[in-house]
Amino acid sequence: MSKTNQLNDAQYEAVFHRGGPLLVLAGAGSGKTRVITERIAALVERDVPPDAITAVTFTNKAAKEMRERLGKRLGARGDDLRICTFHALGLAMLRRDAGHFNRRANLSVFAGGEQRGILRSVLQDMRLPADTKQVDTVLGRISSLKNGLLGTEEGLGPVRDRYDALLERMNAVDFDDLLLMPIRLLREDPSAQAWWRERCRHFLVDEYQDSSRVQYDFLRLLVPSDGNLTVVGDDDQSIYGWRGAEISNLFQLDKDYPGLKVVRLEENYRSTAAILAAANALICNNSQRLGKELRSNLGRGKPARIWEAATPDDEAERVAGDIVARHVPQDVSWGDFCVLYRASYQSRPLELALRQLNVPYHVSGGLSFFERAEVRDVLSYLRLVANPDDDLAFMRAISRPRRGIGDKALGDLGVFAREQGCSLVDACLHEDFVHGKKTSFASFADVMVAASHLFAHGEPDEAFDALMKDSGLEQSIEADAGDEKERDARLGNVAELRRWWLRHAENGGGSSSSALADFIQRLALFADRDEEAGSDVVRLMTVHAAKGLEFDHVYIIGMEEGGFPHKNAVEEQRLEEERRLMYVAVTRARFHLTLSCSRKRKRYGQIESLAPSPFLLELGDEHVRWVDKDVDSEEAHEEVESHMAAMRKRLGLA
């Protein structure tokens, strides 16, 4: 390391770049997060006003980590920095200029189930098929259309128009609108563009290779061609093309920003030289790249091992046994191990093998906190308090608990609300609404009116607790639990949500209606939906989920032709993205990397033979060892000895 703050030469050049557009090509493990945070700190220390600096990334977790680092680095000077996701920045724009889109600042953000509910209502009104599959298909096409992934509306026009009109009537937007509407605002309102450009005088983008075409258009409107733009990314880790990421955005930069300076970060602080040599050999087979070669500062290390198992079950047992063999005699933490696979179904035999050996593990991608029924129930009430026009929140809230209101009565209420052009809450209190169930509806509406008053004028904890009690939700959650353990778990989740609300209210200036609306909007932006497991467990995850992580010992299973690279990607001519995905998998390993394939598997009752993945050959023979082909190799002897040592220790003979 050299220069100030122990930055290497390339890092120093990026951190202290004086001005104008900058592209930092940051290889895996090259310290990119440190570079972007140090660059922001350097700008503040050069007396750039913090409120003129905006940094965006792609997950709330990454934004939070960046804020925490800068908080430690800058203290109070960093309070006015804007560090968020693209969608959170778009939401801030919509809240400031909501009137431009006939919205109010307390708008709701719909995603997932809320969007499906809106679209199902539209399709039913238009007498079109509205089953779950059709709703998902149409919703996907509307999203693709909004993001420029469909060239024409292909008959979606009337459906989309009604869908957008219903969102407007409910004072809501969907996630796609959080980018599309700000783009319209910046194009249509010069004063708004000038205001935001001043607050983005220094605009920094992390993980730039994951940006979509819409996000790039957003960026171009915020930062002029000679502006102070810094983007940090790695073309070799662009693995999200299937969800709209455009690797071409990297190659477009020097055309739209002619003065672009490029700095390459190639010194890797994560992996040994042997692992990086295999990664470099693999990725150089891609033609669509800007080019760089990672160098390690951790020494040579051991070459990667390649195993060939008879079947996926044998493969899983071998991997599980090897994890135990490395853990037991060497006192290595379970949390130092990770098993990666191309598709989530590949974890199943591995879970069984680990259970048989009593190995603690966690499968990333389980049911998230926000998907749990009790959490969604409480949030529906809070959403309705924050935005009484949120009819989807009303429909979930009024049925939790059910209150004796049937589907026909709810249908009648919906018809009346549409005829009057009002929200469902307002319809409940409308003097002309008399269908025999008015008392139940009015009672529910009274609870919500009282809750709105408490959240606006009372204490945050009292408002939350009163809503849980008066609505009957707390009693319903307890009653619906199958046993005491389930009841405690569900109430514990509610308590956790309550704690988040109280912390937000304390930091945001009390329990005002605007504080609650802000709380709900922030929760809606949570994209990182994988619950954190305990640290001392073996992690099982897809390669996509592993991006940004690192482990001492990494196993990549299912390395067969048609599996990795996936056959669909090969047929769709996305081989280069699959190779980048493999590159990401390899570079998660710090000291030990094992790649495994099966020779046969049973499919539809038939045994089929499998060839090893072509990616295994691209790693280069000099950088890997095919253990089963060379039983006299050092790697083969090491595997046998580690298994024997583990057995001796388990038997008390060590």
Side-chain angles (χ1 to χ4, degrees):
M1 304 288 276
S2 62
K3 303 284 185 183
T4 63
N5 296 322
Q6 295 187 320
L7 298 170
N8 65 37
D9 291 340
Q11 290 173 334
Y12 184 92
E13 186 178 7
V15 167
F16 295 102
H17 173 65
R18 293 300 297 178
L22 170 68
L23 166 61
V24 182
L25 273 179
S30 64
K32 72 171 182 62
T33 303
R34 185 179 183 200
V35 165
I36 197 168
T37 53
E38 287 290 336
R39 176 153 178 75
I40 293 171
L43 290 172
V44 174
E45 290 167 351
R46 272 177 19 208
D47 295 326
V48 174
D51 64 357
I53 300 172
T54 296
V56 297
T57 187
F58 288 82
T59 67
N60 289 284
K61 180 180 178 182
K64 178 184 177 184
E65 289 175 353
M66 197 181 300
R67 282 193 297 270
E68 289 175 347
R69 288 194 186 201
L70 285 164
K72 293 176 182 178
R73 181 81 163 75
L74 297 171
R77 289 181 298 172
D79 290 348
D80 291 332
L81 292 168
R82 187 184 295 276
I83 301 172
C84 58
T85 63
F86 268 108
H87 289 91
L89 178 59
L91 176 59
M93 292 183 175
L94 290 184
R95 291 178 69 176
R96 180 180 181 271
D97 290 289
H100 190 87
F101 302 100
N102 197 28
R103 304 298 202 278
R104 298 181 301 283
N106 65 333
L107 55 84
S108 294
V109 181
F110 287 170
E114 292 91 354
Q115 285 180 277
R116 293 185 184 94
I118 287 282
L119 185 58
R120 180 172 288 108
S121 174
V122 168
L123 294 175
Q124 288 172 344
D125 283 348
M126 298 178 70
R127 301 186 182 279
L128 294 172
D131 57 90
T132 299
K133 182 177 181 180
Q134 179 70 4
V135 168
D136 287 344
T137 298
V138 176
L139 193 60
R141 291 176 64 201
I142 289 175
S143 179
S144 295
L145 182 63
K146 288 188 174 187
N147 285 282
L149 301 178
L150 284 180
T152 65
E153 295 203 359
E154 300 179 1
L156 286 176
V159 175
R160 177 184 172 179
D161 288 345
R162 289 203 188 190
Y163 169 78
D164 287 339
L166 192 50
L167 286 175
E168 180 179 325
R169 210 261 306 155
M170 296 172 66
N171 189 36
V173 295
D174 64 22
F175 257 71
D176 295 322
D177 292 331
L178 293 180
L179 297 180
L180 295 179
M181 286 183 172
I183 287 174
R184 277 181 51 200
L185 177 69
L186 295 171
R187 285 174 175 163
E188 297 169 2
D189 189 336
S191 64
Q193 184 184 52
W195 195 91
W196 282 103
R197 279 191 169 185
E198 179 61 22
R199 278 140 192 83
C200 299
R201 200 187 317 159
H202 287 270
F203 193 72
L204 303 96
V205 185
D206 193 15
E207 299 289 3
Y208 176 72
Q209 76 281 345
D210 295 336
S211 62
S212 67
R213 184 69 222 181
V214 170
Q215 287 161 339
Y216 186 67
D217 291 342
F218 192 9
L219 179 157
R220 287 282 292 120
L221 288 164
L222 282 170
V223 187
S225 60
D226 59 348
N228 297 311
L229 171 68
T230 298
V231 300
V232 182
D234 183 4
D235 52 332
D236 292 332
Q237 296 188 77
S238 179
I239 60 174
Y240 296 115
W242 52 276
R243 69 180 188 195
E246 292 272 2
I247 191 174
S248 60
N249 288 348
L250 276 162
F251 309 119
Q252 185 65 29
L253 271 176
D254 63 348
K255 299 179 179 64
D256 293 326
Y257 294 89
L260 183 72
K261 180 178 180 61
V262 180
V263 175
R264 286 174 168 81
L265 305 184
E266 298 176 304
E267 189 168 355
N268 176 284
Y269 299 97
R270 175 189 298 158
S271 307
T272 62
I275 291 172
L276 293 184
N280 288 331
L282 171 78
I283 202 62
C284 72
N285 290 280
N286 271 10
S287 59
Q288 196 178 23
R289 62 192 299 258
L290 293 169
K292 64 183 173 307
E293 187 157 333
L294 297 180
R295 306 182 301 274
S296 173
N297 69 348
L298 296 181
R300 177 64 189 170
K302 294 182 176 294
R305 301 180 297 176
I306 298 179
W307 290 342
E308 291 181 276
T311 67
D313 289 339
D314 293 332
E315 176 184 48
E317 291 172 6
R318 187 171 184 178
V319 169
D322 196 70
I323 289 173
V324 171
R326 289 182 177 273
H327 167 77
V328 174
Q330 301 175 32
D331 294 321
V332 179
S333 168
W334 294 120
D336 291 331
F337 296 91
C338 178
V339 185
L340 302 177
Y341 32 82
R342 177 63 181 83
S344 57
Y345 73 87
Q346 293 172 298
S347 72
R348 294 169 190 165
L350 189 61
E351 288 190 67
L352 179 60
L354 291 171
R355 284 177 181 271
Q356 289 174 336
L357 294 176
N358 296 315
V359 175
Y361 70 90
H362 173 75
V363 182
S364 295
L367 187 64
S368 83
F369 178 82
F370 296 101
E371 292 169 339
R372 300 184 186 279
E374 62 274 12
V375 174
R376 293 181 64 192
D377 290 343
V378 177
L379 284 176
S380 68
Y381 277 92
L382 295 178
R383 282 171 46 198
L384 194 56
V385 173
N387 177 12
D389 292 332
D390 189 338
D391 287 350
L392 287 179
F394 175 98
M395 291 298 292
R396 185 174 185 95
I398 202 168
S399 62
R400 307 299 200 273
R402 191 71 180 185
R403 306 171 201 283
I405 299 174
D407 291 338
K408 183 180 184 304
L410 282 171
D412 293 340
L413 179 71
V415 171
F416 181 82
R418 282 197 295 274
E419 290 174 349
Q420 297 296 320
C422 65
S423 71
L424 294 175
V425 169
D426 288 338
C428 287
L429 297 171
H430 200 289
E431 61 182 7
D432 292 333
F433 180 63
V434 181
H435 284 294
K437 295 290 184 180
K438 185 174 182 180
T439 301
S440 298
F441 284 120
S443 297
F444 174 77
D446 288 341
V447 169
M448 300 313 302
V449 170
S452 296
H453 179 79
L454 265 179
F455 274 93
H457 304 291
E459 292 298 321
D461 55 345
E462 293 176 355
F464 187 98
D465 294 343
L467 177 61
M468 289 294 298
K469 181 180 179 181
D470 295 342
S471 66
L473 186 55
E474 183 175 21
Q475 183 179 358
S476 173
I477 289 174
E478 290 191 61
D480 290 345
D483 54 32
E484 185 176 347
K485 182 178 180 181
E486 182 183 354
R487 183 201 66 192
D488 291 345
R490 297 181 69 188
L491 291 177
N493 289 331
V494 174
E496 180 68 3
L497 187 64
R498 179 183 187 272
R499 185 178 67 83
W500 286 3
W501 155 241
L502 294 183
R503 185 173 59 187
H504 177 85
E506 180 181 350
N507 295 336
S511 61
S512 68
S513 298
S514 60
L516 179 61
D518 183 66
F519 177 68
I520 296 298
Q521 290 165 352
R522 286 175 183 270
L523 293 187
L525 291 171
F526 277 10
D528 311 313
R529 299 194 169 186
D530 180 33
E531 288 190 89
E532 290 298 320
S535 59
D536 197 21
V537 294
V538 177
R539 300 299 294 266
L540 315 181
M541 65 185 75
T542 65
V543 182
H544 282 102
K547 188 169 177 292
L549 303 178
E550 59 183 56
F551 301 89
D552 287 357
H553 305 268
V554 171
Y555 300 79
I556 309 173
I557 64 172
M559 292 299 305
E560 301 95 33
E561 189 172 25
F564 201 174
H566 196 280
K567 63 178 183 179
N568 291 346
V570 175
E571 292 170 358
E572 295 166 9
Q573 298 184 334
R574 292 188 287 108
L575 183 60
E576 294 212 348
E577 180 166 321
E578 287 289 294
R579 189 176 285 113
R580 292 194 293 269
L581 189 60
M582 178 66 180
Y583 175 83
V584 167
V586 169
T587 54
R588 299 312 94 196
R590 300 188 69 220
F591 302 115
H592 296 98
L593 173 65
T594 303
L595 306 109
S596 178
C597 59
S598 301
R599 290 188 290 269
K600 293 181 180 180
R601 70 175 171 189
K602 181 177 287 187
R603 189 178 186 188
Y604 305 124
Q606 301 294 320
I607 301 296
E608 60 180 10
S609 298
L610 305 170
S613 166
F615 288 161
L616 294 177
L617 303 177
E618 293 180 0
L619 295 171
D621 286 342
E622 64 271 33
H623 308 310
V624 301
R625 295 290 182 270
W626 291 74
V627 175
D628 302 314
K629 292 181 179 178
D630 184 2
V631 295
D632 293 325
S633 69
E634 178 184 347
E635 290 72 32
H637 286 295
E638 181 185 76
E639 183 181 340
V640 172
E641 179 54 37
S642 63
H643 281 257
M644 293 298 294
M647 186 178 297
R648 288 193 295 269
K649 189 164 185 175
R650 283 195 159 192
L651 293 173
L653 302 176

